[in-house]
Amino acid sequence: MLNKLISLFLKGVAMGTANVIPGVSGGTVALITGVFVRLINAIKSFDATAIKLLGQGKFKTFAQHTDLVFLSTLFAGIITAIVSLAHLLEYLFANYPTYVWSYFFGLVLASVYFVGRTVNKWHSGAIISFIIGAGIAISISVLTPASENSSFFYLILCGIVAMCSMILPGLSGSFVLILMGNYQLVMIDAINHFDLNILLPVAIGAVVGLLLFSRFLSWLLKRFPDSAIALLSGFILGSLGILWPWKEEITQQFGDKTKVIAYQWLLPEVNAQLFFALLFIILGILSIAATEIWAGKKEKK
C-alpha cells in the first residue's frame, strides 16, 4: 500500500513539474504515467451522490466514492513539485533552455508512441481522431492572441476552456488564457487585487468545465476507447511544436511578468550544442522507455 502511494505521489510530482514548464500540460504526464483515466473518473465522481454522502456525515463512504486517497496523494505531489521545482526549472530555462527543451521534446516524442500503442485497433475512426487531435493542438500553438474581454459570460468561457485545456494532454491552461486575451486580466490583475468580479465568473467556468468535461472524457473513453486515445495521442503529437528546442520566444509584458505568446521556430546549427541537445532528446526517450518497462514488470507481478 505504501509503495503504491509513493508511486502515485511521484506521478503527481511529474505532473506538477510539467505544469511549471511553459506550454506543457500535466494531462500529458497523467496519460503517460497511466493515471489519466482514473483521474478523470475520480473528478467525475464529485456528483449529487458525493454531496449527499458528505451531508449525511458518511465520510468513509464519501472518500471511497470520490477516490479521495488517490486524488489527495496525486495533488500532494503536484503541489510539492510546483513549490519546490519552480525555481530550479526557472534557473535551468534561463541558463540551459535548449537542453531542457530537448529533454522534454524526447519525453513527449516517445510518449506519442507509447500512448498510441495502447490503441487496440487503428481503424479509420481512430486515425481521423488522431489527425484531428494533432491539427487542433498545432492550430492552437500558432494562433494570434485575442484582445482583452472582461464581460461576465466571456470570463465564464475563459474558465471553462482553460480548465478543459489543463485536463487535455498537450494543451496548457495559461497558454490558452493568453490566446483568449485574458491572461493579464485573470492571472495578474484579478489575482493580485483579489478582484471577485473577475475571479468569480472564471471560477464558475472552471468548476463547470472540470465537472462536465471530465464526464464527457469518461464517456468518450468508455464508448470509443480507441478513438479517444488516438485523439489524445494526436494532441500530444501536436504539442511537439511548442517543445521544439531551437526557437526564439515572442513575448509580451503582462504587468511585471513576461509571458511567451508565440514562437519562431529555427533550424539547429551543426555544433557542439546540437550534439548535446540530441543526447538530451535520447535521454528523454530512454526515460519514457524505462518507465514503460518498469510499469510492465510491476503489472506482471
PDB file of all heavy atoms in Angstrom, residues 11 28-35 106-119 229 236 283-300:
ATOM      1  N   LYS A  11       4.171  10.358  -9.342  1.00  0.00           N
ATOM      2  CA  LYS A  11       3.469  10.692 -10.587  1.00  0.00           C
ATOM      3  C   LYS A  11       2.878  12.103 -10.484  1.00  0.00           C
ATOM      4  O   LYS A  11       2.869  12.858 -11.467  1.00  0.00           O
ATOM      5  CB  LYS A  11       2.379   9.666 -10.876  1.00  0.00           C
ATOM      6  CG  LYS A  11       2.932   8.301 -11.275  1.00  0.00           C
ATOM      7  CD  LYS A  11       1.837   7.264 -11.470  1.00  0.00           C
ATOM      8  CE  LYS A  11       2.435   5.901 -11.842  1.00  0.00           C
ATOM      9  NZ  LYS A  11       1.394   4.869 -12.023  1.00  0.00           N
ATOM     10  N   THR A  28      -0.671  15.552 -20.096  1.00  0.00           N
ATOM     11  CA  THR A  28       0.238  14.708 -20.890  1.00  0.00           C
ATOM     12  C   THR A  28       0.922  13.689 -20.002  1.00  0.00           C
ATOM     13  O   THR A  28       0.975  12.502 -20.313  1.00  0.00           O
ATOM     14  CB  THR A  28       1.299  15.567 -21.602  1.00  0.00           C
ATOM     15  OG1 THR A  28       0.648  16.508 -22.454  1.00  0.00           O
ATOM     16  CG2 THR A  28       2.234  14.705 -22.424  1.00  0.00           C
ATOM     17  N   VAL A  29       1.442  14.155 -18.862  1.00  0.00           N
ATOM     18  CA  VAL A  29       2.142  13.269 -17.929  1.00  0.00           C
ATOM     19  C   VAL A  29       1.166  12.276 -17.305  1.00  0.00           C
ATOM     20  O   VAL A  29       1.503  11.107 -17.102  1.00  0.00           O
ATOM     21  CB  VAL A  29       2.859  14.092 -16.834  1.00  0.00           C
ATOM     22  CG1 VAL A  29       3.533  13.175 -15.815  1.00  0.00           C
ATOM     23  CG2 VAL A  29       3.888  15.020 -17.466  1.00  0.00           C
ATOM     24  N   ALA A  30      -0.049  12.727 -17.008  1.00  0.00           N
ATOM     25  CA  ALA A  30      -1.059  11.823 -16.451  1.00  0.00           C
ATOM     26  C   ALA A  30      -1.341  10.675 -17.410  1.00  0.00           C
ATOM     27  O   ALA A  30      -1.501   9.521 -16.994  1.00  0.00           O
ATOM     28  CB  ALA A  30      -2.349  12.602 -16.160  1.00  0.00           C
ATOM     29  N   LEU A  31      -1.380  10.987 -18.706  1.00  0.00           N
ATOM     30  CA  LEU A  31      -1.626   9.959 -19.718  1.00  0.00           C
ATOM     31  C   LEU A  31      -0.436   9.021 -19.839  1.00  0.00           C
ATOM     32  O   LEU A  31      -0.590   7.799 -19.916  1.00  0.00           O
ATOM     33  CB  LEU A  31      -1.923  10.620 -21.062  1.00  0.00           C
ATOM     34  CG  LEU A  31      -2.525   9.750 -22.172  1.00  0.00           C
ATOM     35  CD1 LEU A  31      -3.841   9.130 -21.710  1.00  0.00           C
ATOM     36  CD2 LEU A  31      -2.746  10.566 -23.428  1.00  0.00           C
ATOM     37  N   ILE A  32       0.776   9.598 -19.821  1.00  0.00           N
ATOM     38  CA  ILE A  32       1.993   8.794 -19.946  1.00  0.00           C
ATOM     39  C   ILE A  32       2.143   7.836 -18.760  1.00  0.00           C
ATOM     40  O   ILE A  32       2.518   6.670 -18.925  1.00  0.00           O
ATOM     41  CB  ILE A  32       3.238   9.700 -20.040  1.00  0.00           C
ATOM     42  CG1 ILE A  32       3.200  10.533 -21.329  1.00  0.00           C
ATOM     43  CG2 ILE A  32       4.521   8.872 -19.994  1.00  0.00           C
ATOM     44  CD1 ILE A  32       4.239  11.620 -21.357  1.00  0.00           C
ATOM     45  N   THR A  33       1.853   8.329 -17.557  1.00  0.00           N
ATOM     46  CA  THR A  33       2.073   7.534 -16.342  1.00  0.00           C
ATOM     47  C   THR A  33       0.905   6.621 -15.998  1.00  0.00           C
ATOM     48  O   THR A  33       0.935   5.903 -14.994  1.00  0.00           O
ATOM     49  CB  THR A  33       2.352   8.454 -15.137  1.00  0.00           C
ATOM     50  OG1 THR A  33       1.272   9.404 -14.998  1.00  0.00           O
ATOM     51  CG2 THR A  33       3.657   9.209 -15.318  1.00  0.00           C
ATOM     52  N   GLY A  34      -0.153   6.656 -16.811  1.00  0.00           N
ATOM     53  CA  GLY A  34      -1.252   5.716 -16.631  1.00  0.00           C
ATOM     54  C   GLY A  34      -2.301   6.091 -15.600  1.00  0.00           C
ATOM     55  O   GLY A  34      -3.100   5.229 -15.203  1.00  0.00           O
ATOM     56  N   VAL A  35      -2.338   7.361 -15.160  1.00  0.00           N
ATOM     57  CA  VAL A  35      -3.334   7.760 -14.156  1.00  0.00           C
ATOM     58  C   VAL A  35      -4.436   8.632 -14.753  1.00  0.00           C
ATOM     59  O   VAL A  35      -5.334   9.083 -14.041  1.00  0.00           O
ATOM     60  CB  VAL A  35      -2.674   8.519 -12.970  1.00  0.00           C
ATOM     61  CG1 VAL A  35      -1.658   7.633 -12.266  1.00  0.00           C
ATOM     62  CG2 VAL A  35      -2.018   9.814 -13.442  1.00  0.00           C
ATOM     63  N   GLY A 106      12.144  14.943 -26.206  1.00  0.00           N
ATOM     64  CA  GLY A 106      12.332  13.495 -26.254  1.00  0.00           C
ATOM     65  C   GLY A 106      11.279  12.753 -25.446  1.00  0.00           C
ATOM     66  O   GLY A 106      10.753  11.723 -25.883  1.00  0.00           O
ATOM     67  N   LEU A 107      10.951  13.288 -24.259  1.00  0.00           N
ATOM     68  CA  LEU A 107       9.915  12.682 -23.421  1.00  0.00           C
ATOM     69  C   LEU A 107       8.585  12.588 -24.161  1.00  0.00           C
ATOM     70  O   LEU A 107       7.946  11.537 -24.212  1.00  0.00           O
ATOM     71  CB  LEU A 107       9.717  13.514 -22.147  1.00  0.00           C
ATOM     72  CG  LEU A 107      10.694  13.351 -20.980  1.00  0.00           C
ATOM     73  CD1 LEU A 107      10.308  14.305 -19.856  1.00  0.00           C
ATOM     74  CD2 LEU A 107      10.716  11.925 -20.468  1.00  0.00           C
ATOM     75  N   VAL A 108       8.157  13.723 -24.720  1.00  0.00           N
ATOM     76  CA  VAL A 108       6.846  13.788 -25.353  1.00  0.00           C
ATOM     77  C   VAL A 108       6.839  13.011 -26.670  1.00  0.00           C
ATOM     78  O   VAL A 108       5.864  12.343 -27.008  1.00  0.00           O
ATOM     79  CB  VAL A 108       6.414  15.254 -25.565  1.00  0.00           C
ATOM     80  CG1 VAL A 108       5.116  15.338 -26.340  1.00  0.00           C
ATOM     81  CG2 VAL A 108       6.264  15.943 -24.212  1.00  0.00           C
ATOM     82  N   LEU A 109       7.957  13.078 -27.409  1.00  0.00           N
ATOM     83  CA  LEU A 109       8.055  12.325 -28.668  1.00  0.00           C
ATOM     84  C   LEU A 109       7.877  10.832 -28.409  1.00  0.00           C
ATOM     85  O   LEU A 109       7.127  10.146 -29.115  1.00  0.00           O
ATOM     86  CB  LEU A 109       9.410  12.592 -29.322  1.00  0.00           C
ATOM     87  CG  LEU A 109       9.676  11.873 -30.655  1.00  0.00           C
ATOM     88  CD1 LEU A 109       8.686  12.346 -31.714  1.00  0.00           C
ATOM     89  CD2 LEU A 109      11.113  12.130 -31.114  1.00  0.00           C
ATOM     90  N   ALA A 110       8.546  10.322 -27.385  1.00  0.00           N
ATOM     91  CA  ALA A 110       8.426   8.896 -27.056  1.00  0.00           C
ATOM     92  C   ALA A 110       7.021   8.570 -26.560  1.00  0.00           C
ATOM     93  O   ALA A 110       6.484   7.490 -26.846  1.00  0.00           O
ATOM     94  CB  ALA A 110       9.458   8.516 -25.994  1.00  0.00           C
ATOM     95  N   SER A 111       6.408   9.512 -25.838  1.00  0.00           N
ATOM     96  CA  SER A 111       5.083   9.246 -25.285  1.00  0.00           C
ATOM     97  C   SER A 111       4.029   9.119 -26.380  1.00  0.00           C
ATOM     98  O   SER A 111       3.020   8.436 -26.193  1.00  0.00           O
ATOM     99  CB  SER A 111       4.687  10.343 -24.298  1.00  0.00           C
ATOM    100  OG  SER A 111       4.422  11.559 -24.963  1.00  0.00           O
ATOM    101  N   VAL A 112       4.230   9.780 -27.516  1.00  0.00           N
ATOM    102  CA  VAL A 112       3.296   9.627 -28.645  1.00  0.00           C
ATOM    103  C   VAL A 112       3.236   8.156 -29.049  1.00  0.00           C
ATOM    104  O   VAL A 112       2.144   7.599 -29.270  1.00  0.00           O
ATOM    105  CB  VAL A 112       3.724  10.489 -29.855  1.00  0.00           C
ATOM    106  CG1 VAL A 112       2.815  10.214 -31.041  1.00  0.00           C
ATOM    107  CG2 VAL A 112       3.694  11.962 -29.501  1.00  0.00           C
ATOM    108  N   TYR A 113       4.386   7.514 -29.109  1.00  0.00           N
ATOM    109  CA  TYR A 113       4.447   6.104 -29.485  1.00  0.00           C
ATOM    110  C   TYR A 113       3.832   5.207 -28.397  1.00  0.00           C
ATOM    111  O   TYR A 113       2.978   4.357 -28.684  1.00  0.00           O
ATOM    112  CB  TYR A 113       5.889   5.677 -29.743  1.00  0.00           C
ATOM    113  CG  TYR A 113       6.065   4.172 -29.809  1.00  0.00           C
ATOM    114  CD1 TYR A 113       5.611   3.446 -30.912  1.00  0.00           C
ATOM    115  CD2 TYR A 113       6.653   3.481 -28.752  1.00  0.00           C
ATOM    116  CE1 TYR A 113       5.749   2.065 -30.959  1.00  0.00           C
ATOM    117  CE2 TYR A 113       6.793   2.099 -28.797  1.00  0.00           C
ATOM    118  CZ  TYR A 113       6.341   1.399 -29.900  1.00  0.00           C
ATOM    119  OH  TYR A 113       6.474   0.035 -29.949  1.00  0.00           O
ATOM    120  N   PHE A 114       4.272   5.430 -27.137  1.00  0.00           N
ATOM    121  CA  PHE A 114       3.842   4.534 -26.072  1.00  0.00           C
ATOM    122  C   PHE A 114       2.359   4.689 -25.739  1.00  0.00           C
ATOM    123  O   PHE A 114       1.699   3.716 -25.371  1.00  0.00           O
ATOM    124  CB  PHE A 114       4.700   4.758 -24.821  1.00  0.00           C
ATOM    125  CG  PHE A 114       6.069   4.150 -24.932  1.00  0.00           C
ATOM    126  CD1 PHE A 114       7.190   4.948 -25.074  1.00  0.00           C
ATOM    127  CD2 PHE A 114       6.231   2.775 -24.917  1.00  0.00           C
ATOM    128  CE1 PHE A 114       8.458   4.392 -25.190  1.00  0.00           C
ATOM    129  CE2 PHE A 114       7.498   2.204 -25.035  1.00  0.00           C
ATOM    130  CZ  PHE A 114       8.609   3.013 -25.172  1.00  0.00           C
ATOM    131  N   VAL A 115       1.840   5.915 -25.847  1.00  0.00           N
ATOM    132  CA  VAL A 115       0.396   6.109 -25.649  1.00  0.00           C
ATOM    133  C   VAL A 115      -0.363   5.570 -26.856  1.00  0.00           C
ATOM    134  O   VAL A 115      -1.378   4.893 -26.705  1.00  0.00           O
ATOM    135  CB  VAL A 115       0.066   7.607 -25.420  1.00  0.00           C
ATOM    136  CG1 VAL A 115      -1.451   7.820 -25.410  1.00  0.00           C
ATOM    137  CG2 VAL A 115       0.664   8.094 -24.108  1.00  0.00           C
ATOM    138  N   GLY A 116       0.152   5.847 -28.055  1.00  0.00           N
ATOM    139  CA  GLY A 116      -0.510   5.395 -29.275  1.00  0.00           C
ATOM    140  C   GLY A 116      -0.602   3.888 -29.379  1.00  0.00           C
ATOM    141  O   GLY A 116      -1.576   3.360 -29.926  1.00  0.00           O
ATOM    142  N   ARG A 117       0.360   3.175 -28.838  1.00  0.00           N
ATOM    143  CA  ARG A 117       0.335   1.718 -28.971  1.00  0.00           C
ATOM    144  C   ARG A 117      -0.692   1.074 -28.039  1.00  0.00           C
ATOM    145  O   ARG A 117      -0.959  -0.125 -28.157  1.00  0.00           O
ATOM    146  CB  ARG A 117       1.724   1.137 -28.713  1.00  0.00           C
ATOM    147  CG  ARG A 117       2.160   1.077 -27.276  1.00  0.00           C
ATOM    148  CD  ARG A 117       3.460   0.310 -27.154  1.00  0.00           C
ATOM    149  NE  ARG A 117       3.833   0.081 -25.767  1.00  0.00           N
ATOM    150  CZ  ARG A 117       4.832  -0.716 -25.390  1.00  0.00           C
ATOM    151  NH1 ARG A 117       5.556  -1.334 -26.296  1.00  0.00           N
ATOM    152  NH2 ARG A 117       5.108  -0.872 -24.112  1.00  0.00           N
ATOM    153  N   THR A 118      -1.273   1.861 -27.116  1.00  0.00           N
ATOM    154  CA  THR A 118      -2.340   1.327 -26.269  1.00  0.00           C
ATOM    155  C   THR A 118      -3.674   1.276 -27.017  1.00  0.00           C
ATOM    156  O   THR A 118      -4.651   0.725 -26.503  1.00  0.00           O
ATOM    157  CB  THR A 118      -2.509   2.170 -24.981  1.00  0.00           C
ATOM    158  OG1 THR A 118      -2.894   3.503 -25.329  1.00  0.00           O
ATOM    159  CG2 THR A 118      -1.218   2.216 -24.179  1.00  0.00           C
ATOM    160  N   VAL A 119      -3.717   1.881 -28.197  1.00  0.00           N
ATOM    161  CA  VAL A 119      -4.914   1.761 -29.042  1.00  0.00           C
ATOM    162  C   VAL A 119      -4.986   0.318 -29.546  1.00  0.00           C
ATOM    163  O   VAL A 119      -4.049  -0.176 -30.170  1.00  0.00           O
ATOM    164  CB  VAL A 119      -4.847   2.742 -30.236  1.00  0.00           C
ATOM    165  CG1 VAL A 119      -6.037   2.523 -31.165  1.00  0.00           C
ATOM    166  CG2 VAL A 119      -4.820   4.181 -29.738  1.00  0.00           C
ATOM    167  N   ILE A 229      -8.262   7.550 -27.240  1.00  0.00           N
ATOM    168  CA  ILE A 229      -6.815   7.514 -27.000  1.00  0.00           C
ATOM    169  C   ILE A 229      -6.061   8.052 -28.218  1.00  0.00           C
ATOM    170  O   ILE A 229      -5.052   8.752 -28.075  1.00  0.00           O
ATOM    171  CB  ILE A 229      -6.350   6.076 -26.676  1.00  0.00           C
ATOM    172  CG1 ILE A 229      -6.977   5.602 -25.356  1.00  0.00           C
ATOM    173  CG2 ILE A 229      -4.830   6.009 -26.585  1.00  0.00           C
ATOM    174  CD1 ILE A 229      -6.577   6.422 -24.153  1.00  0.00           C
ATOM    175  N   ILE A 236      -0.962  15.206 -28.105  1.00  0.00           N
ATOM    176  CA  ILE A 236       0.435  15.159 -27.651  1.00  0.00           C
ATOM    177  C   ILE A 236       1.379  15.432 -28.820  1.00  0.00           C
ATOM    178  O   ILE A 236       2.336  16.212 -28.704  1.00  0.00           O
ATOM    179  CB  ILE A 236       0.749  13.794 -27.006  1.00  0.00           C
ATOM    180  CG1 ILE A 236      -0.106  13.589 -25.747  1.00  0.00           C
ATOM    181  CG2 ILE A 236       2.227  13.701 -26.638  1.00  0.00           C
ATOM    182  CD1 ILE A 236       0.041  12.216 -25.138  1.00  0.00           C
ATOM    183  N   LEU A 283      17.975  10.939 -24.112  1.00  0.00           N
ATOM    184  CA  LEU A 283      17.767  10.694 -22.682  1.00  0.00           C
ATOM    185  C   LEU A 283      16.283  10.771 -22.331  1.00  0.00           C
ATOM    186  O   LEU A 283      15.772   9.962 -21.544  1.00  0.00           O
ATOM    187  CB  LEU A 283      18.558  11.711 -21.856  1.00  0.00           C
ATOM    188  CG  LEU A 283      18.490  11.558 -20.332  1.00  0.00           C
ATOM    189  CD1 LEU A 283      19.036  10.198 -19.908  1.00  0.00           C
ATOM    190  CD2 LEU A 283      19.267  12.682 -19.643  1.00  0.00           C
ATOM    191  N   GLY A 284      15.583  11.738 -22.934  1.00  0.00           N
ATOM    192  CA  GLY A 284      14.143  11.862 -22.703  1.00  0.00           C
ATOM    193  C   GLY A 284      13.393  10.636 -23.207  1.00  0.00           C
ATOM    194  O   GLY A 284      12.497  10.121 -22.534  1.00  0.00           O
ATOM    195  N   ILE A 285      13.769  10.165 -24.398  1.00  0.00           N
ATOM    196  CA  ILE A 285      13.141   8.970 -24.970  1.00  0.00           C
ATOM    197  C   ILE A 285      13.396   7.753 -24.080  1.00  0.00           C
ATOM    198  O   ILE A 285      12.488   6.971 -23.791  1.00  0.00           O
ATOM    199  CB  ILE A 285      13.675   8.717 -26.392  1.00  0.00           C
ATOM    200  CG1 ILE A 285      13.216   9.835 -27.336  1.00  0.00           C
ATOM    201  CG2 ILE A 285      13.206   7.357 -26.915  1.00  0.00           C
ATOM    202  CD1 ILE A 285      13.855   9.782 -28.708  1.00  0.00           C
ATOM    203  N   LEU A 286      14.652   7.607 -23.625  1.00  0.00           N
ATOM    204  CA  LEU A 286      15.010   6.472 -22.777  1.00  0.00           C
ATOM    205  C   LEU A 286      14.300   6.531 -21.425  1.00  0.00           C
ATOM    206  O   LEU A 286      13.971   5.487 -20.848  1.00  0.00           O
ATOM    207  CB  LEU A 286      16.523   6.424 -22.572  1.00  0.00           C
ATOM    208  CG  LEU A 286      17.358   6.074 -23.815  1.00  0.00           C
ATOM    209  CD1 LEU A 286      18.850   6.139 -23.500  1.00  0.00           C
ATOM    210  CD2 LEU A 286      16.982   4.698 -24.345  1.00  0.00           C
ATOM    211  N   SER A 287      14.041   7.747 -20.930  1.00  0.00           N
ATOM    212  CA  SER A 287      13.339   7.897 -19.648  1.00  0.00           C
ATOM    213  C   SER A 287      11.932   7.326 -19.738  1.00  0.00           C
ATOM    214  O   SER A 287      11.471   6.612 -18.833  1.00  0.00           O
ATOM    215  CB  SER A 287      13.276   9.376 -19.245  1.00  0.00           C
ATOM    216  OG  SER A 287      14.563   9.911 -19.033  1.00  0.00           O
ATOM    217  N   ILE A 288      11.239   7.633 -20.839  1.00  0.00           N
ATOM    218  CA  ILE A 288       9.891   7.098 -21.040  1.00  0.00           C
ATOM    219  C   ILE A 288       9.933   5.591 -21.244  1.00  0.00           C
ATOM    220  O   ILE A 288       9.113   4.841 -20.693  1.00  0.00           O
ATOM    221  CB  ILE A 288       9.209   7.784 -22.242  1.00  0.00           C
ATOM    222  CG1 ILE A 288       8.940   9.250 -21.928  1.00  0.00           C
ATOM    223  CG2 ILE A 288       7.912   7.072 -22.605  1.00  0.00           C
ATOM    224  CD1 ILE A 288       7.958   9.458 -20.800  1.00  0.00           C
ATOM    225  N   ALA A 289      10.905   5.121 -22.028  1.00  0.00           N
ATOM    226  CA  ALA A 289      11.030   3.682 -22.277  1.00  0.00           C
ATOM    227  C   ALA A 289      11.280   2.929 -20.971  1.00  0.00           C
ATOM    228  O   ALA A 289      10.679   1.878 -20.723  1.00  0.00           O
ATOM    229  CB  ALA A 289      12.163   3.424 -23.265  1.00  0.00           C
ATOM    230  N   ALA A 290      12.162   3.479 -20.127  1.00  0.00           N
ATOM    231  CA  ALA A 290      12.460   2.847 -18.837  1.00  0.00           C
ATOM    232  C   ALA A 290      11.228   2.824 -17.940  1.00  0.00           C
ATOM    233  O   ALA A 290      10.965   1.827 -17.251  1.00  0.00           O
ATOM    234  CB  ALA A 290      13.600   3.592 -18.143  1.00  0.00           C
ATOM    235  N   THR A 291      10.456   3.907 -17.964  1.00  0.00           N
ATOM    236  CA  THR A 291       9.222   3.978 -17.174  1.00  0.00           C
ATOM    237  C   THR A 291       8.232   2.923 -17.633  1.00  0.00           C
ATOM    238  O   THR A 291       7.577   2.259 -16.816  1.00  0.00           O
ATOM    239  CB  THR A 291       8.578   5.374 -17.303  1.00  0.00           C
ATOM    240  OG1 THR A 291       9.517   6.367 -16.862  1.00  0.00           O
ATOM    241  CG2 THR A 291       7.310   5.472 -16.462  1.00  0.00           C
ATOM    242  N   GLU A 292       8.103   2.745 -18.952  1.00  0.00           N
ATOM    243  CA  GLU A 292       7.182   1.757 -19.504  1.00  0.00           C
ATOM    244  C   GLU A 292       7.616   0.335 -19.141  1.00  0.00           C
ATOM    245  O   GLU A 292       6.790  -0.510 -18.800  1.00  0.00           O
ATOM    246  CB  GLU A 292       7.109   1.902 -21.026  1.00  0.00           C
ATOM    247  CG  GLU A 292       6.374   3.137 -21.495  1.00  0.00           C
ATOM    248  CD  GLU A 292       4.891   3.071 -21.196  1.00  0.00           C
ATOM    249  OE1 GLU A 292       4.303   1.982 -21.335  1.00  0.00           O
ATOM    250  OE2 GLU A 292       4.323   4.101 -20.819  1.00  0.00           O
ATOM    251  N   ILE A 293       8.927   0.064 -19.197  1.00  0.00           N
ATOM    252  CA  ILE A 293       9.446  -1.260 -18.854  1.00  0.00           C
ATOM    253  C   ILE A 293       9.203  -1.553 -17.380  1.00  0.00           C
ATOM    254  O   ILE A 293       8.765  -2.643 -16.998  1.00  0.00           O
ATOM    255  CB  ILE A 293      10.956  -1.357 -19.189  1.00  0.00           C
ATOM    256  CG1 ILE A 293      11.156  -1.296 -20.708  1.00  0.00           C
ATOM    257  CG2 ILE A 293      11.558  -2.632 -18.613  1.00  0.00           C
ATOM    258  CD1 ILE A 293      12.597  -1.154 -21.136  1.00  0.00           C
ATOM    259  N   TRP A 294       9.446  -0.536 -16.533  1.00  0.00           N
ATOM    260  CA  TRP A 294       9.236  -0.683 -15.083  1.00  0.00           C
ATOM    261  C   TRP A 294       7.762  -0.934 -14.777  1.00  0.00           C
ATOM    262  O   TRP A 294       7.412  -1.797 -13.984  1.00  0.00           O
ATOM    263  CB  TRP A 294       9.727   0.575 -14.378  1.00  0.00           C
ATOM    264  CG  TRP A 294       9.465   0.583 -12.901  1.00  0.00           C
ATOM    265  CD1 TRP A 294      10.082  -0.163 -11.944  1.00  0.00           C
ATOM    266  CD2 TRP A 294       8.498   1.386 -12.210  1.00  0.00           C
ATOM    267  NE1 TRP A 294       9.566   0.124 -10.703  1.00  0.00           N
ATOM    268  CE2 TRP A 294       8.602   1.073 -10.836  1.00  0.00           C
ATOM    269  CE3 TRP A 294       7.574   2.340 -12.620  1.00  0.00           C
ATOM    270  CZ2 TRP A 294       7.796   1.676  -9.878  1.00  0.00           C
ATOM    271  CZ3 TRP A 294       6.782   2.949 -11.656  1.00  0.00           C
ATOM    272  CH2 TRP A 294       6.886   2.622 -10.309  1.00  0.00           C
ATOM    273  N   ALA A 295       6.888  -0.178 -15.434  1.00  0.00           N
ATOM    274  CA  ALA A 295       5.448  -0.337 -15.225  1.00  0.00           C
ATOM    275  C   ALA A 295       4.987  -1.717 -15.694  1.00  0.00           C
ATOM    276  O   ALA A 295       4.152  -2.358 -15.053  1.00  0.00           O
ATOM    277  CB  ALA A 295       4.686   0.755 -15.968  1.00  0.00           C
ATOM    278  N   GLY A 296       5.551  -2.196 -16.817  1.00  0.00           N
ATOM    279  CA  GLY A 296       5.193  -3.507 -17.328  1.00  0.00           C
ATOM    280  C   GLY A 296       5.592  -4.630 -16.383  1.00  0.00           C
ATOM    281  O   GLY A 296       4.848  -5.592 -16.187  1.00  0.00           O
ATOM    282  N   LYS A 297       6.765  -4.515 -15.760  1.00  0.00           N
ATOM    283  CA  LYS A 297       7.213  -5.524 -14.803  1.00  0.00           C
ATOM    284  C   LYS A 297       6.325  -5.540 -13.569  1.00  0.00           C
ATOM    285  O   LYS A 297       6.031  -6.595 -13.006  1.00  0.00           O
ATOM    286  CB  LYS A 297       8.673  -5.254 -14.407  1.00  0.00           C
ATOM    287  CG  LYS A 297       9.668  -5.583 -15.502  1.00  0.00           C
ATOM    288  CD  LYS A 297      11.094  -5.348 -15.036  1.00  0.00           C
ATOM    289  CE  LYS A 297      12.104  -5.763 -16.119  1.00  0.00           C
ATOM    290  NZ  LYS A 297      13.503  -5.499 -15.677  1.00  0.00           N
ATOM    291  N   LYS A 298       5.870  -4.338 -13.137  1.00  0.00           N
ATOM    292  CA  LYS A 298       5.005  -4.273 -11.964  1.00  0.00           C
ATOM    293  C   LYS A 298       3.654  -4.936 -12.227  1.00  0.00           C
ATOM    294  O   LYS A 298       3.070  -5.564 -11.362  1.00  0.00           O
ATOM    295  CB  LYS A 298       4.799  -2.822 -11.524  1.00  0.00           C
ATOM    296  CG  LYS A 298       6.010  -2.176 -10.885  1.00  0.00           C
ATOM    297  CD  LYS A 298       5.662  -0.911 -10.152  1.00  0.00           C
ATOM    298  CE  LYS A 298       4.850  -1.205  -8.920  1.00  0.00           C
ATOM    299  NZ  LYS A 298       4.516  -0.035  -8.130  1.00  0.00           N
ATOM    300  N   GLU A 299       3.157  -4.777 -13.465  1.00  0.00           N
ATOM    301  CA  GLU A 299       1.860  -5.361 -13.826  1.00  0.00           C
ATOM    302  C   GLU A 299       1.921  -6.894 -13.844  1.00  0.00           C
ATOM    303  O   GLU A 299       0.933  -7.578 -13.571  1.00  0.00           O
ATOM    304  CB  GLU A 299       1.407  -4.850 -15.186  1.00  0.00           C
ATOM    305  CG  GLU A 299       0.960  -3.392 -15.161  1.00  0.00           C
ATOM    306  CD  GLU A 299       0.575  -2.892 -16.542  1.00  0.00           C
ATOM    307  OE1 GLU A 299       0.675  -3.707 -17.488  1.00  0.00           O
ATOM    308  OE2 GLU A 299       0.210  -1.730 -16.663  1.00  0.00           O
ATOM    309  N   LYS A 300       3.090  -7.447 -14.173  1.00  0.00           N
ATOM    310  CA  LYS A 300       3.246  -8.891 -14.277  1.00  0.00           C
ATOM    311  C   LYS A 300       3.337  -9.558 -12.897  1.00  0.00           C
ATOM    312  O   LYS A 300       3.129 -10.755 -12.757  1.00  0.00           O
ATOM    313  CB  LYS A 300       4.481  -9.242 -15.083  1.00  0.00           C
ATOM    314  CG  LYS A 300       4.334  -8.901 -16.581  1.00  0.00           C
ATOM    315  CD  LYS A 300       5.612  -9.217 -17.326  1.00  0.00           C
ATOM    316  CE  LYS A 300       5.478  -8.841 -18.802  1.00  0.00           C
ATOM    317  NZ  LYS A 300       6.731  -9.106 -19.550  1.00  0.00           N
TER     318      LYS A 300
END
